[in-house]
Amino acid sequence: YFVEQDPINSRMLSNIASLGGVGNFSATDLPKVLAGKTASARPSVSLTTQDFNGSSSIKDFETMLQLVYLYFTAPRQDSEAFRSFIQRMETQLKNQDAEPMVAFSDSVTRAIYGDNPLTKRLKVDDIKKIDYDRIMEMYAQRFANPGSFVFTFVGNIDEEKVRPVIEQYLASLAGKPVKADFVKVPMNVREGKQENIFQREMQNPKASVFNAIAGKMERTQKNQVLMSMLDQILDIIYTEKVREEEGGTYGVHSNGSISRYPQGQTILQIMFDTDPEKMAHLNKMVLDILKDFAANGPRDTDFSKVKEYMNKSYNESLKENGYWMNILDNKYFYGEDNFTRYIETVNAVTANDLKNFAQALLGQGNLKTVVMMPKTGE
């Protein structure tokens, strides 16, 4: 498996494999051919999956499947399109090096993942390692066996009408029905405490702050619900205390997840921008609020507000194709049922559960803080 052997081409695969269009159509011809139709389909490859994403109107369902068929059987190479992509990329990467926020984001990635080549941003020097022929070869390998793919369709579909179309374009693809194995790639988070405060030249001086609290938690439905509640409640408290009462920032954003792979890897991220003078005071406040939450749990009003919101958005998502797509994929590929007991789980959570969850995460002692300050003229 080539992700580790060839990280640069692997990471560029999704962007580059479809540059040349498909079949007889270049990437610029394709929109003309599809004019007047509502249909799209694109292959993509991530560190852990290869897949197709597509959507169409009811009447253009066939067109969407024709695209999938062509991406399997006739990927198109176009050296002109590749050259202009590389030129655009060079310009973009050169500009990025001067951007303070890009330096900030690099430092955040390093704080979490260390020097893992799979997580590093592409630099101008990496461009010469991009090999178009090699990428197309890797693409062909990844998509060589349509039989290892599972296609999920969601929508107001008339099964009788779409069955012959699916048979024509998907069932006709040669392939063996094997379930592909997942190859593990190293994506572990660094342990322990790290703090990195650095300065950059800036046109608009500000301090940017990132905190990550990392650890291992079991990826159960209940823990995922607790993580979601925790980051929503923190957003409410931070808005009130840090933004409104202190007037110190436009907003503090919290975001938490428990990953499937690496198993149970848990990261709660808390980010904000502020005046350089207020940075130390506000970041202490942000972390103190989190510690207080772990010690005392949520306020009743915040807790019930978030539960109410989760019930409302659950009922709305039941009407969305994307929601069901996600549920079905997770059930099929990972055996995770995120639907059946979801809303009961949400409603059964107690304030004490939340407190214990926050305590267990903070207690693991992995706090990463990255702060970018403006260079002062001293």
Side-chain angles (χ1 to χ4, degrees):
Y1 192 58
F2 34 67
V3 167
E4 284 181 82
Q5 283 75 40
D6 195 349
I8 289 175
N9 284 324
S10 293
R11 286 168 61 189
M12 294 311 295
L13 213 162
S14 268
N15 296 343
I16 289 176
S18 50
L19 277 181
V22 69
N24 300 322
F25 309 114
S26 72
T28 43
D29 291 338
L30 209 49
K32 297 172 196 162
V33 178
L34 295 171
K37 291 182 187 288
T38 308
S40 68
R42 268 186 76 92
S44 75
V45 179
S46 77
L47 287 175
T48 55
T49 59
Q50 55 264 358
D51 56 39
F52 279 96
N53 277 305
S55 66
S56 77
S57 61
I58 303 297
K59 73 172 178 29
D60 296 323
F61 184 82
E62 183 170 356
T63 306
M64 173 176 70
L65 290 199
Q66 285 170 337
L67 286 169
V68 172
Y69 180 87
L70 287 172
Y71 275 118
F72 269 122
T73 56
R76 185 176 178 280
Q77 220 164 321
D78 181 335
S79 42
E80 197 46 49
F82 175 70
R83 264 199 303 277
S84 76
F85 173 81
I86 292 294
Q87 281 166 349
R88 286 198 305 277
M89 218 173 130
E90 256 175 328
T91 314
Q92 205 182 346
L93 293 182
K94 278 178 186 149
N95 295 342
Q96 272 187 359
D97 285 339
E99 267 294 311
M101 285 317 281
V102 171
F104 180 61
S105 149
D106 286 351
S107 305
V108 163
T109 304
R110 200 174 314 110
I112 299 178
Y113 296 108
D115 283 323
N116 185 341
L118 297 180
T119 61
K120 281 188 181 150
R121 179 173 64 87
L122 242 61
K123 303 278 172 59
V124 176
D125 293 349
D126 296 324
I127 290 182
K128 50 182 176 293
K129 297 179 194 155
I130 297 174
D131 178 340
Y132 192 21
D133 290 337
R134 176 72 188 118
I135 283 179
M136 293 313 282
E137 193 185 336
M138 283 156 76
Y139 174 85
Q141 281 173 286
R142 291 287 86 202
F143 291 84
N145 180 17
S148 66
F149 283 72
V150 171
F151 288 90
T152 308
F153 298 101
V154 175
N156 48 348
I157 295 171
D158 178 339
E159 286 185 42
E160 289 317 300
K161 278 188 186 154
V162 299
R163 182 177 291 278
V165 183
I166 290 172
E167 285 171 357
Q168 186 181 349
Y169 294 103
L170 297 184
S172 64
L173 290 162
K176 298 181 181 63
V178 292
K179 196 161 179 182
D181 279 336
F182 164 51
V183 179
K184 295 186 171 176
V185 290
M187 291 295 284
N188 293 325
V189 164
R190 294 167 73 186
E191 290 194 355
K193 287 196 173 183
Q194 275 100 23
E195 186 176 64
N196 175 15
I197 299 181
F198 66 97
Q199 294 185 331
R200 278 299 287 249
E201 297 273 345
M202 290 178 207
Q203 274 166 323
N204 306 312
K206 63 171 182 176
S208 294
V209 184
F210 170 91
N211 296 291
I213 295 87
K216 281 264 193 293
M217 304 294 269
E218 209 187 329
R219 190 185 146 92
T220 57
Q221 186 173 51
K222 182 173 180 180
N223 277 350
Q224 290 185 81
V225 163
L226 287 167
M227 179 53 103
S228 172
M229 285 185 174
L230 174 61
D231 76 35
Q232 293 179 68
I233 292 174
L234 285 174
D235 280 342
I236 295 173
I237 305 173
Y238 289 143
T239 299
E240 179 190 314
K241 302 275 182 211
V242 185
R243 180 180 164 170
E244 288 163 7
E245 289 175 16
E246 292 279 325
T249 176
Y250 286 119
V252 180
H253 303 286
S254 320
N255 182 19
S257 62
I258 303 174
S259 68
R260 181 181 297 114
Y261 177 78
Q263 207 176 357
Q265 185 165 285
T266 303
I267 304 180
L268 172 65
Q269 305 176 18
I270 303 170
M271 291 158 278
F272 64 96
D273 287 344
T274 185
D275 294 343
E277 299 76 60
K278 291 183 174 173
M279 186 284 294
H281 165 65
L282 287 188
N283 203 39
K284 181 180 184 311
M285 195 172 162
V286 160
L287 295 171
D288 284 347
I289 285 171
L290 186 58
K291 284 181 198 145
D292 177 71
F293 188 103
N296 304 307
R299 301 179 296 192
D300 292 345
T301 48
D302 298 342
F303 183 52
S304 50
K305 189 193 274 183
V306 163
K307 261 197 185 181
E308 205 174 300
Y309 173 75
M310 286 171 90
N311 273 277
K312 184 169 166 257
S313 58
Y314 165 78
N315 287 320
E316 283 166 9
S317 59
L318 295 180
K319 306 179 195 111
E320 300 290 329
N321 285 352
Y323 169 79
W324 288 108
M325 199 67 149
N326 212 348
I327 291 289
L328 293 168
D329 276 354
N330 284 339
K331 182 87 176 88
Y332 182 86
F333 287 104
Y334 308 106
E336 284 182 16
D337 178 354
N338 296 326
F339 166 69
T340 309
R341 298 201 47 77
Y342 172 80
I343 207 66
E344 289 92 318
T345 306
V346 167
N347 292 328
V349 163
T350 65
N352 210 32
D353 291 337
L354 258 177
K355 180 179 85 169
N356 294 340
F357 177 83
Q359 230 165 39
L361 180 58
L362 261 67
Q364 297 181 44
N366 302 313
L367 169 66
K368 327 266 177 249
T369 299
V370 177
V371 181
M372 179 170 68
M373 299 285 275
K375 250 196 183 112
T376 47
E378 288 144 28

